[in-house]
Amino acid sequence: MAENDPGFYDFTTIERKWQDFWQKNQTFAAKNHSDKPKYYILDMFPYPSGDGLHVGHPEGYTASDIVSRYKRMNGYNVLHPMGYDAFGLPAEQYAVEHGVHPRETTAKNIANIEKQIKMFGFSYDWSRRLATTDVDYYCWTQWIFLKMFNSWFDPSVKAARPISELIHKLESGEYLVSPFDEIIYDEVHGINALSGEPIGCLKYDELEPDRQREIIDNQRLAYMAEVPVNWCPKLGTVLANEEVTNEGRSDRGNHPVFRRALKQWMLRITAYAERLLEDIEKVNWPESIKIMQRNWIGKSTGAEVSFAVDGCEEFIEVYTTRPDTLFGATYMVLAPEHPLVDQLVTAEQKSAVEEYVSQTARKSELERTAETKDKTGVFTGGYAINPVNEERIPIWVADYVMMGYGTGAIMAVPAHDTRDFEFAEKFGLPIIEVVQPPEGIDWRGYVDDGIAVNSGKFDGLSTAEFKQQITEWLEENDLGRAAVNYKLRDWLFSRQRYWGEPFPIVHCEKCGVVSLNEDQLPLELPEMDDFSPASSDDPDSPPSPPLGKLTDWVKTSCPNCKGAAKRELNTMPQWAGSCWYYLRYMDNGNSSEFVNSDIEKYWMAPSEANPCGGVDLYIGGAEHAVLHLLYARFWHKVLFDLGYVSTVEPFGKLFNQGMIRSFAYRDKRGVCIGYADVDLSGDKPRHKETGEELAETVEKMSKSLKNVVNPNEIISEYGADTFRLYEMFMGPLDASKPWNTRDVPGVQRFLQKAWRMIVGADGKVSEAITDCEPDDASLRLLHKTIKKVRDDIEAMAFNTAISQMMIFVNEFLRLKQRSRSAIEIFVKLLSPFAPHIAEELWQRLGHTESVAYEPWPSYKPELTQDPEVELAVQVNGKIKDKITVAANSDEESIRQKALNSIKILAETDGKEILKVIVIKNRLVNIVAK
RNA sequence: GCCGAAGUGGCGGAAUUGGCAGACGCGCGGGAUUCAAAAUCCCGUCCUGGCAACAGGGUGAGGGUUCGAUUCCCUCCUUCGGCACCA
């Protein structure tokens, strides 16, 4: 059919027409109050990069759109929003490189990506659009930050409470302060169990105001601390652990990163480690993501043990998960940054230790990881006393022990710990067996459970029993106690960059770190021309945030004492804005609250399908498995504790789409060849010009591999409906799969067949469409299709739903008389997948309303099955014949029919029939000898 | 090294979760229509042998459980994703 034919499937015109229609009629606007059941379905919003959309984005968006449209047709009030995560390094890097303001590039990129997103016909409620860079958005990001700054984690209730409560309890004397400025909230924590000496508790109101302030500041959920950070001098900023690659370079730009102590903003996510771990059980997420989060939190149980230092008053605290190996501890190791290193070192070892400590401090992450194979360390000259046997054991310094985990010191048990074993071998330290492995396994380096030996009165105990008894013994003797540790660290929350949310904080000489009042928000990101950070190759270069250049802006007054003060110069990291965007969508126009509480309760409410509450379905890539999803959960829990949200978890159900990769072609020199130069017509891929055979691999799309597929090109050639259908037809949503443009015409052919099934050559409804009743076979096919499409959407198995619709079309196209009612049902089934063509067909079939809110078709179960079924008849597991019986026939009649089949009689002739297995509607298996 | 996911035709994938392996689509071969082509339609297409009926083999490899295994269990191999001196 030619393009100017009236019956031609003109997808370009049709798609534009219906996108305009939906926009004009606000078809997909969601109401914040409704009698309908609600369904909140969320996509991970994109970062608007200059490259625009790639084919991976619309994969998840199409899936969520299908579910959204399906839910609407099932009578749900659906919230399906879209927005942009627009602060962050890439935009700023691009702006610096091109000399344009990030506000401009961001606006341009958003406009571009939004235009692209709208080409797909997704049913977003565009009135809820937001960008994290909007002032009326980040105003509330700052507001949430203030909530964290003005809260502390009360261990007695395991929840965030306003800091004013803490001050009140301290002032009233209910809570006391330890000499180490820790809060003492009950008797257990008032006794220093480790040194065995009762310690004096201080009364808060007897302390100096500066000390009081320090104590309070140290309890805030958002606090400043001098911490070892990943400093990237080239980017002029610190980076979170997660922004540093395995090779010790920056995720952005691949620049070297160094360890360095700097005073930074931190968020106390570690306080929530246990709740983040516990509540992961409540959500309906892929098990693999849950495991990743559990590993990231990294809970372990063991004991803290106190080792006395020989000849000095100090104690070394260690954390171990294997207190049962205490008798095998033959030396100790301190992290180079450990505060006791200076005190323990003897005169003759002083220079060697100092040299080692300063060397490790200088090492970049790259150097430290590169040396993992070879252990290094230096003897301090000092000795500790092993509390279980009074042995005198040497204390070493080594960088295989890190300050950030446990206590920064370990007891080394070389016989039963791989790292200690390597270290002891290298430095000739004693190795003593204390765990006996099963027969035949060498005890040297044996790290699993076994039977205790060389452990005094504990000999013969199993590892588990030993752990329990020794922990009790340590507690009784004030030498230690049971302890829990987490790998999770507090979240480094500040960046020395321009393009981020400014901290609503001032530094006052008199009052210290002071937050702005809520009515002073938003603190707008000031305009500036030269926003580039100080870039350097020197690891010791001082951080100088761009905002520091705005001397007038920096000077301000203290909200507290009204005296002179300076503004905080750091900005928040990119993750900040994405921590709560799902809340803002619900009520994005609200200028007096971040979200209205009734509206929040409506959309986040638990339901039968989502007992945990929160977003009903969140679809996005697995690359956010830990960071974004953990950070957002943390913020949500803080907001929950403070009473601002109604659920403990933000995302009740999560689904990860798989990565779309594509074929890459290389010639024999390994040079990547673009698709334009690859000839696929033969049995092997060849170079179009040289004819050289090319190697084919499936890889992540990247410019360097020349295997990037641009969605715009696919849409202009085949249409958005085809694009959507192709991405869903490729395979299961959660699987990683290769894009293959050659397959795209196949799904377009299906849409063309569907079109021809309904539209005649004259552009009117085909003459084959009549008001006749469908024949029995077509009726059954229709009901099978309704059931299959419904079940498959519920199971997010869109590929097989599409297969079923293809079968339907192939069959119905053959029919001379096509029942209008059956055809209309088909159009409804198709509409979530290919909404433009469905609307057009629906209209041509004579309807004046959009198909988007038509009720979803229902099926009769009895019509989803054929009246007769063919069963395979096996003899000893091999198919020998087939029989046809009525559906749901009873076993006995099937058995008789099978045994009496001529082929089976011949097959079993002369054999003894031992057993006949009949599986209803499936098969018969005859066991014969 | 540790954790996780996955290996099925020439390709993407399907298989009611233990019951006829290869649905659907691509590609390829043959035919119809056409002056010819595009488009469309029909037939064929897991491998081996055979003109054929048919026979044998077959879901990464090897073993096991079972009347019966792509599906469950053990060992190994490969690919992808994550973590990585976490005491």
Side-chain angles (χ1 to χ4, degrees):
Chain A
M1 200 169 294
E3 244 172 87
N4 46 9
D5 244 308
F8 175 71
Y9 166 43
D10 178 7
F11 52 81
T12 310
T13 310
I14 291 169
E15 289 174 1
R16 198 176 304 127
K17 168 182 165 185
W18 288 101
Q19 283 165 20
D20 290 347
F21 175 92
W22 295 326
Q23 174 104 34
K24 204 176 294 166
N25 292 281
Q26 289 291 297
T27 309
F28 305 114
K31 295 195 176 65
N32 278 345
H33 302 283
S34 168
D35 296 336
K36 293 177 176 180
K38 63 90 191 186
Y39 196 81
Y40 186 178
I41 177 161
L42 180 70
D43 288 305
M44 288 186 186
F45 62 168
Y47 185 85
S49 80
D51 296 334
L53 228 51
H54 57 81
V55 294
H57 286 116
E59 188 194 15
Y61 300 165
T62 302
S64 66
D65 195 56
I66 291 168
V67 177
S68 301
R69 290 173 180 272
Y70 168 77
K71 287 288 177 186
R72 281 190 205 97
M73 293 173 83
N74 279 282
Y76 285 84
N77 183 28
V78 172
L79 177 57
H80 188 39
M82 179 46 75
Y84 307 98
D85 184 17
F87 270 133
L89 264 180
E92 187 176 334
Q93 281 293 94
Y94 182 91
V96 168
E97 281 157 26
H98 294 79
V100 203
H101 196 279
R103 192 181 316 280
E104 276 175 49
T105 56
T106 300
K108 212 176 98 202
N109 289 347
I110 288 179
N112 178 42
I113 203 166
E114 184 158 313
K115 200 175 139 206
Q116 284 186 299
I117 292 173
K118 285 186 170 172
M119 292 196 305
F120 291 92
F122 298 133
S123 61
Y124 293 121
D125 178 354
W126 283 107
S127 69
R128 293 171 186 267
R129 189 195 98 132
L130 57 82
T132 54
T133 46
D134 296 341
V135 179
D136 59 1
Y137 182 85
Y138 72 71
C139 162
W140 297 106
T141 310
Q142 292 172 330
W143 180 86
I144 296 170
F145 176 84
L146 286 187
K147 290 294 162 203
M148 296 210 218
F149 180 78
N150 288 313
S151 299
W152 76 301
F153 191 85
D154 185 340
S156 67
V157 291
K158 297 188 172 69
R161 311 295 333 159
I163 202 93
S164 54
E165 263 184 32
L166 172 65
I167 295 171
H168 178 77
K169 284 180 174 171
L170 285 167
E171 282 174 345
S172 70
E174 188 181 335
Y175 288 179
L176 299 168
V177 180
S178 85
F180 312 111
D181 286 0
E182 290 157 342
I183 305 296
I184 292 157
Y185 64 96
D186 63 21
E187 284 186 4
V188 175
H189 291 78
I191 295 163
N192 186 334
L194 297 185
S195 64
E197 291 168 359
I199 52 164
C201 295
L202 307 173
K203 285 221 167 109
Y204 178 80
D205 53 7
E206 290 167 4
L207 300 172
E208 291 296 304
D210 278 1
R211 177 89 180 271
Q212 287 183 340
R213 197 165 64 215
E214 205 180 314
I215 289 161
I216 296 302
D217 283 349
N218 282 339
Q219 295 299 321
R220 298 177 187 276
L221 290 184
Y223 64 99
M224 289 193 90
E226 176 108 357
V227 285
V229 294
N230 304 297
W231 168 245
C232 180
K234 199 79 194 174
L235 292 174
T237 185
V238 300
L239 298 169
N241 284 338
E242 304 84 71
E243 291 166 319
V244 181
T245 64
N246 280 348
E247 288 74 39
R249 303 182 82 90
S250 63
D251 200 28
R252 285 283 165 195
N254 202 33
H255 305 296
V257 173
F258 300 86
R259 273 277 172 203
R260 184 172 163 191
L262 287 173
K263 193 156 192 183
Q264 294 295 320
W265 281 97
M266 308 291 289
L267 296 187
R268 205 178 299 280
I269 190 171
T270 50
Y272 282 83
E274 191 61 36
R275 281 170 60 190
L276 289 167
L277 189 64
E278 278 171 12
D279 290 349
I280 199 94
E281 305 305 328
K282 296 178 181 155
V283 293
N284 180 2
W285 287 15
E287 197 53 38
S288 59
I289 302 291
K290 289 185 175 187
I291 289 168
M292 276 194 238
Q293 290 224 341
R294 285 191 204 107
N295 291 345
W296 194 263
I297 294 166
K299 181 179 183 175
S300 71
T301 55
E304 264 177 25
V305 188
S306 208
F307 282 66
V309 177
D310 193 24
C312 119
E313 294 289 283
E314 294 292 342
F315 286 84
I316 299 173
E317 307 281 334
V318 304
Y319 171 73
T320 177
T321 56
R322 294 294 300 270
D324 62 297
T325 61
L326 256 166
F327 287 84
T330 54
Y331 65 101
M332 300 191 81
V333 184
L334 303 181
E337 304 89 349
H338 197 284
L340 284 178
V341 171
D342 285 346
Q343 293 181 51
L344 295 180
V345 68
T346 56
E348 56 268 35
Q349 291 297 103
K350 198 173 173 70
S351 65
V353 168
E354 274 174 2
E355 169 70 16
Y356 182 77
V357 169
S358 68
Q359 244 178 41
T360 19
R362 288 211 151 265
K363 274 186 202 170
S364 72
E365 285 292 304
L366 176 64
E367 289 166 309
R368 260 184 125 157
T369 37
E371 286 167 18
T372 51
K373 284 176 196 95
D374 198 24
K375 296 268 180 298
T376 61
V378 176
F379 178 45
T380 60
Y383 288 85
I385 306 297
N386 188 335
V388 293
N389 56 12
E390 312 284 313
E391 291 280 337
R392 205 162 159 264
I393 57 176
I395 303 166
W396 287 62
V397 178
D399 68 357
Y400 83 90
V401 172
M402 289 165 303
M403 200 53 222
Y405 183 78
T407 60
I410 62 156
M411 61 174 213
V413 184
H416 308 292
D417 180 280
T418 314
R419 297 149 302 185
D420 298 343
F421 183 66
E422 283 170 11
F423 191 83
E425 291 250 286
K426 178 164 174 185
F427 293 102
L429 292 155
I431 302 170
I432 301 171
E433 177 187 18
V434 288
V435 180
Q436 192 175 51
E439 285 265 337
I441 298 174
D442 189 4
W443 61 267
R444 298 169 66 86
Y446 178 78
V447 297
D448 294 323
D449 290 3
I451 305 298
V453 291
N454 299 325
S455 298
K457 63 174 180 174
F458 298 100
D459 277 356
L461 288 177
S462 73
T463 300
E465 286 168 324
F466 194 166
K467 277 184 185 173
Q468 203 197 328
Q469 291 192 20
I470 189 85
T471 306
E472 283 166 16
W473 183 87
L474 287 167
E475 277 173 15
E476 281 161 18
N477 293 281
D478 272 355
L479 294 165
R481 59 181 170 208
V484 171
N485 247 294
Y486 302 91
K487 286 192 216 171
L488 186 70
R489 315 288 170 82
D490 274 343
W491 176 9
L492 176 67
F493 196 67
S494 43
R495 300 291 183 272
Q496 291 71 49
R497 300 296 299 218
Y498 171 69
W499 195 231
E501 299 87 346
F503 282 80
I505 292 288
V506 303
H507 299 269
C508 168
E509 264 184 46
K510 244 166 78 189
C511 313
V513 180
V514 181
S515 63
L516 296 186
N517 295 319
E518 283 180 25
D519 59 15
Q520 293 175 290
L521 298 181
L523 173 62
E524 287 199 40
L525 183 62
E527 278 306 322
M528 62 190 299
D529 298 326
D530 180 17
F531 44 82
S532 52
S535 177
S536 167
D537 292 318
D538 177 10
D540 294 327
S541 60
S544 67
L547 289 178
K549 296 178 201 166
L550 296 170
T551 43
D552 287 348
W553 180 79
V554 173
K555 273 189 221 150
T556 184
S557 58
C558 171
N560 199 19
C561 71
K562 311 299 173 204
K566 286 180 176 172
R567 290 198 190 276
E568 168 67 40
L569 303 180
N570 288 306
T571 53
M572 299 184 199
Q574 199 191 327
W575 306 102
S578 59
C579 277
W580 73 282
Y581 73 114
Y582 59 95
L583 294 169
R584 188 62 181 173
Y585 282 138
M586 293 184 253
D587 194 15
N588 66 332
N590 195 332
S591 56
S592 57
E593 295 165 286
F594 79 116
V595 59
N596 172 275
S597 153
D598 289 337
I599 294 172
E600 185 274 334
K601 282 194 185 84
Y602 173 72
W603 287 114
M604 301 292 274
S607 66
E608 205 175 311
N610 176 15
C612 167
V615 171
D616 294 290
L617 180 59
Y618 191 20
I619 298 183
E623 65 271 24
H624 296 113
V626 274
L627 307 179
H628 159 61
L629 289 170
L630 199 65
Y631 293 158
R633 291 180 65 215
F634 162 50
W635 280 40
H636 194 88
K637 287 185 186 305
V638 174
L639 292 170
F640 174 79
D641 289 348
L642 299 176
Y644 295 108
V645 297
S646 59
T647 64
V648 291
E649 284 288 324
F651 314 119
K653 179 173 180 174
L654 175 75
F655 198 95
N656 288 121
Q657 86 254 22
M659 198 191 305
I660 295 186
R661 302 188 298 166
S662 73
F663 294 103
Y665 298 94
R666 288 190 183 87
D667 66 18
K668 59 175 175 280
R669 290 170 304 159
V671 177
C672 294
I673 310 295
Y675 292 148
D677 296 319
V678 179
D679 175 16
L680 292 166
S681 59
D683 54 340
K684 294 265 167 62
R686 289 179 186 283
H687 196 289
K688 267 189 185 154
E689 261 120 65
T690 64
E692 185 192 336
E693 196 178 312
L694 301 173
E696 184 188 83
T697 52
V698 173
E699 315 213 30
K700 264 185 203 175
M701 288 191 194
S702 82
K703 280 177 191 158
S704 61
L705 290 167
K706 295 187 179 167
N707 65 341
V708 176
V709 178
N710 180 344
N712 288 26
E713 289 170 19
I714 304 292
I715 288 188
S716 65
E717 192 165 347
Y718 299 99
D721 281 338
T722 295
F723 187 103
R724 294 168 56 116
L725 222 39
Y726 172 66
E727 286 216 338
M728 295 301 101
F729 187 62
M730 287 170 80
L733 185 64
D734 54 358
S736 149
K737 39 208 177 257
W739 178 280
N740 192 351
T741 303
R742 278 212 294 187
D743 290 341
V744 175
V747 290
Q748 196 192 44
R749 221 164 299 174
F750 158 64
L751 288 180
Q752 269 160 350
K753 285 185 196 173
W755 180 264
R756 272 206 314 281
M757 177 175 82
I758 297 169
V759 180
D762 56 0
K764 298 197 173 109
V765 175
S766 163
E767 284 167 10
I769 307 252
T770 65
D771 290 329
C772 68
E773 284 298 309
D775 62 77
D776 186 64
S778 335
L779 188 66
R780 284 178 199 274
L781 175 59
L782 175 69
H783 282 257
K784 278 183 207 167
T785 304
I786 299 170
K787 176 173 164 40
K788 178 92 177 134
V789 172
R790 191 204 93 97
D791 291 353
D792 284 354
I793 293 178
E794 295 279 354
M796 310 256 282
F798 306 111
N799 53 332
T800 46
I802 294 166
S803 297
Q804 184 64 33
M805 290 190 282
M806 286 174 168
I807 294 169
F808 180 92
V809 168
N810 287 342
E811 288 302 319
F812 267 67
L813 211 46
R814 269 190 260 271
L815 300 176
K816 296 276 182 301
Q817 297 267 301
R818 295 169 207 145
S819 152
R820 171 181 285 267
S821 63
I823 291 294
E824 292 198 343
I825 286 172
F826 169 78
V827 172
K828 290 188 203 175
L829 298 182
L830 179 66
S831 67
F833 297 83
H836 309 88
I837 191 175
E839 289 277 23
E840 182 68 21
L841 291 172
W842 190 247
Q843 190 181 60
R844 291 197 187 207
L845 283 162
H847 298 277
T848 51
E849 295 285 311
S850 161
V851 74
Y853 290 94
E854 281 295 313
W856 187 256
S858 58
Y859 62 89
K860 292 197 173 106
E862 64 273 21
L863 287 174
T864 60
Q865 202 177 31
D866 289 324
E868 289 194 318
V869 287
E870 192 183 55
L871 306 186
V873 184
Q874 301 178 328
V875 176
N876 294 331
K878 297 205 172 192
I879 295 164
K880 295 296 174 187
D881 196 14
K882 303 224 166 159
I883 56 171
T884 302
V885 298
N888 302 317
S889 295
D890 62 288
E891 284 190 22
E892 189 49 34
S893 65
I894 294 172
R895 179 199 310 268
Q896 287 313 318
K897 185 150 188 180
L899 287 171
N900 291 325
S901 124
I902 307 210
K903 283 185 184 168
I904 297 304
L905 284 172
E907 197 69 36
T908 55
D909 187 37
K911 289 179 182 164
E912 186 193 352
I913 293 175
L914 300 173
K915 207 172 176 183
V916 179
I917 294 129
V918 178
I919 309 294
K920 255 190 174 181
N921 297 335
R922 294 264 165 250
L923 55 60
V924 181
N925 190 11
I926 297 160
V927 187
K929 208 160 84 177

